Amino acid sequence: CSASLAFDGRKWWKPDAPLRLMFPATGGRLDSVSLWVKSPRPVALRFAFYGTERTGLYLPGPRILSAKVKVPAGGRRVDFPLGVTTSAGFHFLEVQAPRGVSFGFSAGRLPGVCTSMWDRKNYGKNWINLYSNWGWPLENNLAFACSPTQHSFAP
């Protein structure tokens, strides 16, 4: 099963807090993760990539990198450059966007893929996980693709 979710161009969403995409991969080279982004003006999006947590929990492991990616006005697929070698497990891409920026979402679902939003309202008292300030997973997931293609499960 390929770790990616297609975007049909219909579901754009403007979050009011940072987003975090969790996706499984069997490991190896990961050059980039692509998201669909729409902005009324050119912007720079801050992002961070986290590796797997050593016990295999649904929490991010160590932060591997933080960077910015420039996004021109309009709607398009945007590559978030990583250039890392990953191990098997869950990986996390965290994106912070200025107001007015929308992300493409997929109606599709994959095992192990979820998108969460920073939970400002319940910060510090998140009963779901006392060690995380991220709220419930959203109903839909960010449309994304990995380069090169990663697989959710080893063949």
Side-chain angles (χ1 to χ4, degrees):
C1 169
S2 174
S4 65
L5 286 171
F7 179 58
D8 65 9
R10 291 186 289 183
K11 187 163 181 87
W12 291 97
W13 186 56
K14 291 179 189 172
D16 60 358
L19 295 174
R20 179 184 281 170
L21 172 68
M22 178 183 86
F23 61 96
T26 51
R29 185 79 186 151
L30 185 56
D31 294 326
S32 66
V33 173
S34 300
L35 303 177
W36 284 88
V37 181
K38 183 165 61 171
S39 178
R41 64 196 180 289
V43 294
L45 300 180
R46 290 185 301 157
F47 71 95
F49 181 73
Y50 297 82
T52 58
E53 201 271 337
R54 64 180 178 80
T55 60
L57 297 175
Y58 300 105
L59 295 172
R63 181 171 44 199
I64 296 173
L65 66 85
S66 294
K68 287 183 182 180
V69 64
K70 292 181 180 181
V71 178
R76 68 191 69 235
R77 187 175 128 167
V78 174
D79 293 331
F80 291 75
L82 302 175
V84 297
T85 299
T86 63
S87 56
F90 292 107
H91 301 82
F92 298 81
L93 180 70
E94 189 175 296
V95 181
Q96 298 185 17
R99 289 203 181 276
V101 173
S102 301
F103 292 88
F105 273 68
S106 174
R109 293 202 173 273
L110 281 176
V113 174
C114 76
T115 302
S116 299
M117 190 167 68
W118 182 258
D119 191 354
R120 286 187 181 131
K121 181 177 68 175
N122 293 313
Y123 176 78
K125 47 189 173 197
N126 185 337
W127 62 274
I128 301 158
N129 184 340
L130 297 176
Y131 303 102
S132 175
N133 298 320
W134 293 85
W136 278 106
L138 302 175
E139 190 170 315
N140 293 303
N141 285 301
L142 285 164
F144 77 101
C146 296
S147 176
T149 299
Q150 296 285 307
H151 294 279
S152 300
F153 306 99

